[in-house]
Amino acid sequence: MICSVLKINSDYLKEFNQEHLKIIMRVLTLDDFDLKGKTVFLRVDMNCPIDPDTLEISGTKRIEEAIVTIKALDQSKLVIASHQGRVGNNDYTGMDKHVKVLERMLNKKIKYVEDVIGQAAQNEIKNLKDGEILLLDNLRLCAEENYEFSPEDAANTIMVSRLSKLFDLCVLDSFPSAHRSHPSIVGFPHVMPACAGRIVEREVRNLDEIMTVAKAPHVIVLGGSKVPDRLEAIKMLIKNGRADHVLLTGLIANVFMRAQARIKYSLGIKKEEEVVAKAHALIGEYPDVFSTPVDVAIDKDGQRVEMDVRELQTGDKIYDLGPKTVEYYSKLIAGAGTVFISGPAGFFEKENFSFGTKALLNSVANSMATTLVSGGHLTTVLKEQGLEEKINHISTAGGALVLYLTGEKLPMIKALEDAATDTNLNKH
Ligand code: 3PG
């Protein structure tokens, strides 16, 4: 059982958001169960970046992270399940690529079935022997997994009603998707014994500790591509006293610059007018909170060209921050009490556009603040730069961590807490 202990000091008393109390959790862990010979459903998050040209996995950090929990279940009949990408996006693939990576990392044969809830998957689960591992196909092949449900309704989905009968225990370890109330996350714990895997255990223990000592000013450096999700979270972060300065980078910065009429052409993104209107409303409501770039780097025939934002021409592809913006953002980071950075600042995969991402991570690593780095992309760059030791908490989670910081209870944590207190479920 994890039971977080609050550290009391004067800073904490001043800054602590009462809402956050709700997130202090009591959940069961692997240590609370006899795992030998049990058939276990392990929900992980192996949602990896996929190279748009080769359609191969381009970063395996999340798979690597899952290994510790998989190893802890080596005496069970283990069924691993994950989503990959979103339906309609080019990162939406089968899990056949992931099985190869897992086999290499574990140095062990893993069974794989191109099915999630059908007869083929059910037969494979029933035939598993102690110590064997089966990987199911992409959970989002199952339509239900693409929608949010209450725990009660999730428990009644075909996925949960069919599969839960085949398992003794559900282990939730997909912290990067802890903000999603999908059937595989909130449905199984509603009807069967459930506990946190090692990643969830580590994340929540560290985060609870960090949040008790977090000091103002809170500086949020926000990039990445999931703009609608981010807009919702920004509002909650500001309202809950978790964002004194929001320094925008990447695609979300472009959306805000359009809202400020500093970019005057369409960005060509989904639901553009809707997100620009939301950004506009946020700037109106919180005029002193947001910073957007003053200079950027654009791509001209594969070359990096520095440009003042005022000189941008229709169709210019903004791929990175410029040096003046990085310098200004770095000053705000240096004066922060707590810094949270999520999402790359540009097209960092291309060497000549990685400057902003690397420079900001460097500023975060060298600040005196409490520091949190979030998301698979940034954690990869951090490792390459040898800066990991200088950061207080590193998480491959993106959106889930942003929501956690707002003080909102994450659906996965709530599901685990409920399962831990449901005595009917936990006769282990
Ligand atoms: C993530 O990468 O943030 C998680 O895997 C959740 O993915 P989603 O935003 O597509 O639900």
Side-chain angles (χ1 to χ4, degrees):
M1 169 84 74
I2 309 174
C3 186
S4 299
V5 181
L6 296 181
K7 281 187 188 159
I8 307 292
N9 65 34
S10 57
D11 288 333
Y12 154 65
L13 284 175
K14 266 184 265 151
E15 301 300 333
F16 192 73
N17 177 346
Q18 287 304 312
E19 272 298 295
H20 200 75
L21 268 174
K22 292 187 196 146
I23 218 157
I24 303 303
M25 64 172 216
R26 295 174 67 84
V27 306
L28 298 170
T29 72
L30 293 172
D31 304 324
D32 294 301
F33 290 86
D34 174 11
L35 304 166
K36 194 168 183 311
K38 300 285 181 342
T39 308
V40 176
F41 174 79
L42 171 63
R43 174 55 158 112
V44 292
D45 191 324
M46 298 196 296
N47 182 21
C48 296
I50 301 286
D51 185 307
D53 300 323
T54 62
L55 295 184
E56 290 300 325
I57 295 174
S58 57
T60 55
K61 190 94 177 89
R62 283 187 176 172
I63 305 181
E64 197 181 310
E65 275 200 325
I67 298 297
V68 55
T69 302
I70 295 173
K71 284 197 171 156
L73 289 157
D74 63 354
Q75 299 197 332
S76 307
K77 303 174 181 79
L78 181 58
V79 179
I80 305 176
S82 172
H83 70 282
Q84 169 63 54
R86 289 185 184 178
V87 178
N89 289 359
N90 61 5
D91 61 348
Y92 179 60
T93 68
M95 304 303 288
D96 47 322
K97 305 160 202 312
H98 305 66
V99 79
K100 289 188 205 128
V101 180
L102 265 181
E103 283 186 333
R104 204 179 58 235
M105 287 179 178
L106 286 164
N107 195 19
K108 173 175 177 156
K109 178 89 195 116
I110 313 269
K111 294 186 167 186
Y112 174 61
V113 60
E114 283 184 359
D115 186 17
V116 180
I117 59 170
Q119 206 53 58
Q122 292 180 48
N123 289 344
E124 289 287 350
I125 296 169
K126 285 180 198 155
N127 292 332
L128 274 178
K129 300 195 177 51
D130 291 2
E132 285 186 341
I133 302 175
L134 168 70
L135 177 65
L136 298 179
D137 209 341
N138 189 341
L139 284 168
R140 289 183 180 174
L141 282 172
C142 193
E144 295 166 331
E145 185 69 4
N146 297 280
Y147 296 95
E148 309 258 347
F149 292 89
S150 68
E152 295 75 17
D153 290 343
N156 286 327
T157 55
I158 300 173
M159 176 190 285
V160 176
S161 39
R162 269 193 201 166
L163 295 189
S164 59
K165 295 189 195 94
L166 307 177
F167 298 118
D168 301 305
L169 172 68
C170 158
V171 179
L172 296 182
D173 214 21
S174 57
F175 187 73
S177 11
H179 56 319
R180 303 284 180 224
S181 44
H182 294 156
S184 69
I185 294 167
V186 299
F188 289 104
H190 198 67
V191 291
M192 61 187 299
C195 72
R198 296 296 186 216
I199 299 173
V200 169
E201 196 184 333
R202 176 182 65 87
E203 289 274 2
V204 178
R205 207 173 252 146
N206 285 355
L207 287 168
D208 276 358
E209 234 175 81
I210 284 177
M211 295 311 285
T212 60
V213 295
K215 290 195 198 80
H218 299 273
V219 173
I220 309 284
V221 189
L222 216 55
S225 56
K226 293 180 183 169
V227 177
D229 289 9
R230 294 282 152 115
L231 288 171
E232 293 303 320
I234 287 174
K235 193 169 176 141
M236 275 197 279
L237 283 168
I238 301 172
K239 273 170 70 177
N240 294 349
R242 288 286 171 209
D244 300 304
H245 299 290
V246 178
L247 317 182
L248 296 163
T249 71
L251 187 56
I252 193 159
N254 299 350
V255 169
F256 274 74
M257 286 195 284
R258 262 217 70 196
Q260 294 166 321
R262 294 169 65 228
I263 292 182
K264 297 186 176 64
Y265 53 91
S266 165
L267 302 167
I269 58 170
K270 283 184 194 163
K271 297 189 180 168
E272 184 161 336
E273 294 316 316
E274 201 181 302
V275 290
V276 168
K278 281 193 180 164
H280 191 265
L282 276 171
I283 297 168
E285 204 171 340
Y286 304 105
D288 303 328
V289 172
F290 296 100
S291 295
T292 51
V294 290
D295 60 344
V296 291
I298 65 161
D299 173 78
K300 267 222 167 96
D301 306 321
Q303 297 302 310
R304 178 185 176 102
V305 177
E306 306 291 345
M307 190 163 285
D308 188 293
V309 169
R310 288 169 297 192
E311 292 163 7
L312 284 168
Q313 302 289 325
T314 302
D316 277 344
K317 291 189 210 117
I318 304 172
Y319 277 6
D320 199 8
L321 300 175
K324 287 191 193 135
T325 306
V326 167
E327 195 186 333
Y328 177 62
Y329 283 8
S330 296
K331 275 193 191 134
L332 288 170
I333 291 168
T338 309
V339 187
F340 171 68
I341 180 167
S342 179
F347 203 160
F348 77 99
E349 293 92 338
K350 291 186 186 280
E351 183 53 34
N352 50 352
F353 296 105
S354 62
F355 161 75
T357 303
K358 287 180 185 164
L360 289 182
L361 277 176
N362 218 50
S363 304
V364 172
N366 289 309
S367 85
M368 301 297 283
T370 301
T371 50
L372 292 100
V373 175
S374 137
H377 290 131
L378 288 189
T379 51
T380 305
V381 181
L382 203 61
K383 192 172 181 185
E384 281 166 15
Q385 300 289 297
L387 296 171
E388 284 174 306
E389 296 299 311
K390 295 181 153 189
I391 303 293
N392 292 96
H393 184 66
I394 301 171
S395 172
T396 60
L401 190 47
V402 178
L403 194 68
Y404 178 93
L405 295 182
T406 67
E408 287 291 304
K409 175 86 76 178
L410 298 174
M412 176 192 285
I413 305 303
K414 170 92 174 67
L416 285 168
E417 287 180 356
D418 289 349
T421 51
D422 189 334
T423 46
N424 292 327
L425 294 181
N426 282 308
K427 296 195 183 101
H428 41 276

